[in-house]
Amino acid sequence: LEACRSRNHQKLNADIEIGAMSAALCHLANVSYRVGRKLVWDDQKRSFVNDSEANKLLTREHRKPYVA
């Protein structure tokens, strides 16, 4: 929080990319848990391979006017 308040990125405990990757891995594990099976992730396409059910869980429907 101190880094956010001061707007000084040097006060971060970890690089932003590391934090984003850590959060993404938790989200992907949660999707796998919800569908109840092992999944294959395509990092280039940023989606699961041949699994539309799992891919639907990567996002949600946005209400207007916040449409993706």
Side-chain angles (χ1 to χ4, degrees):
L1 291 174
E2 184 179 340
C4 291
R5 289 185 187 121
S6 69
R7 297 182 180 207
N8 183 352
H9 68 87
Q10 294 175 334
K11 292 186 178 183
L12 291 170
N13 291 325
D15 186 58
I16 293 170
E17 186 176 356
I18 292 170
M21 179 64 75
S22 298
L25 291 173
C26 293
H27 291 306
L28 296 178
N30 190 31
V31 170
S32 179
Y33 174 78
R34 288 179 180 216
V35 297
R37 62 182 168 274
K38 186 176 179 180
L39 300 170
V40 177
W41 178 251
D42 184 337
D43 200 39
Q44 294 291 334
K45 294 182 181 177
R46 312 272 306 162
S47 65
F48 294 107
V49 177
N50 299 323
D51 200 321
S52 60
E53 180 185 6
N55 284 325
K56 286 180 186 177
L57 295 173
L58 291 173
T59 188
R60 59 181 170 185
E61 285 190 38
H62 299 279
R63 62 180 174 85
K64 291 182 181 179
Y66 307 102
V67 179

